[in-house]
Amino acid sequence: MNRRWTLASSVAGAVVVALDGTVLTVAQPRLQRDLGATFAEVQWTSTGYLVAVASLLVFAGRLGDRYGHRRAFALGMLGFGAVSAAIGLAPGVEWVIGLRAVQGVFGALLQPATLGMLRVAFPAELLARPLAVRTAAIGLAAAAGPLVGGALVTHLGWRAVFFVNVLPALVFGLPALLRPERTPPGDARTALDIPGAALLALTLACLVDALSAGAVNRSSALFLAATGAALLVRHERRTARPLLPPGLVGSRAVGAGLGVLVAVSASLFGTLFVATYVLQRGLGLDPLVSALRSLPLAALMVVSAALCPVLLRRFGARGTTAVAATVLALGVLVLSRAGSVPVFGCGFALLGAGFGTVMVAATHAIVSAAEPAVAGVAGGLQQTVLNVGPALGVAGASALLDAGTGPALLVLAAVAGLAVPAAWALSGRGRVASVTPVAEDHLPDGVPARR
């Protein structure tokens, strides 16, 4: 599979997952009405998916390292599409909740593979450009999601938002499955560390459940998460073949990149939660108008992602990420004082510019620091923090709203600011190739770039 098809597949997988989450949010009110579901049941159509996917991402990435990222991508993509079709045919909300959890399992296989395939196909110095394309596509999906979801639900009903996943699953999943993959870079004989995977899954599942809006017993879930984390650390230190390779999790670049992503994603999604409350409750705008007000976020996310490889080449990961996190924090501060359309537009634009740049820069730092043999684990870690961070941000924003939207946004700006010192732990000017298109057919050493 050549580089262009690998990039197209990675983008398709990321977009399918991004669209699925945004269009479901739009479809949930109609789903609740048609199936006679309670509000708590509707929440669990999202929470069940999040718990499943977050708990399995790292282990799924390890499976990709062992058996091949293309195989993991194919199974994840085809399974995601098949379960989406089943949800579209579900007779009741209980079926929707259960199938969404199963969909989360396939989503966990899919997401790390989209990054693992890129790391294997592209050398570290060429990764920035494909990561920028992937991030820009996610930004477009975020912008299109509410509009696509609204149109589908209005004209075809809530079931249609799940059927749209079937075609891209077949188009990209079948070729990946039918074309055998060469020997993966990892050692197929390496143990999978099932106990470590189980402990990590328990820890993350309890943490995400505790942070979700539908949490039933938050204190018990947090206690279980802390206990699981302690047992996981003890196990990983003692086992000969840990799930989390010490060279990867102990890497300064990886740790800093993950810390940056947690801070900025928590700040961004917490801010969007508060801003939606302000636009719809405070200003009385309907959901469509509110979504249109936030379009500068998606537009600037696309533009900033495209420009990030140039910034990385000129200023390095450290300077680029620190400035971008500062821009995001400034956007939160602007929104805390917003009262007119231009000010809201400016605030959302700053959020998009900051987050799009940080996404590319921090992800580049994490994935390029990983050897191809553990690229799946690196991708799993990156995707995990992008599930935990938003859940943390929304949970914190919900708690802070009692003090008012202004104070809540000030705290979220401070959370974004935490990414700035973390960014200084990244490298300075690293190896980032020119963004000028390069010959696809050869790696720098002259080895054909086909997998």
Side-chain angles (χ1 to χ4, degrees), residues 5 11 36 44 70-71 89 96 99 119 121 125 130 163 165 174 218 228 252 256 259 312 325 333 369 373 376 444:
W5 185 257
V11 168
W44 269 99
R70 196 188 309 160
R71 290 188 182 94
L89 299 172
V96 175
L99 288 169
R119 179 64 184 94
E125 62 270 20
F163 288 124
N165 295 329
L174 283 177
R218 187 168 279 111
R252 181 179 177 183
L312 286 173
L333 290 175

Side-chain angles (χ1 to χ4, degrees), residues 39 273-287 290 401 405:
F39 183 66
F273 177 83
V274 176
T276 301
Y277 182 89
V278 171
L279 290 169
Q280 295 188 22
R281 298 282 184 88
L283 301 181
L285 303 179
D286 63 52
S290 297
L401 272 179
T405 57

Side-chain angles (χ1 to χ4, degrees), residues 161-175:
V161 304
F162 292 101
F163 288 124
V164 296
N165 295 329
V166 176
L167 182 59
L170 292 173
V171 169
F172 291 94
L174 283 177

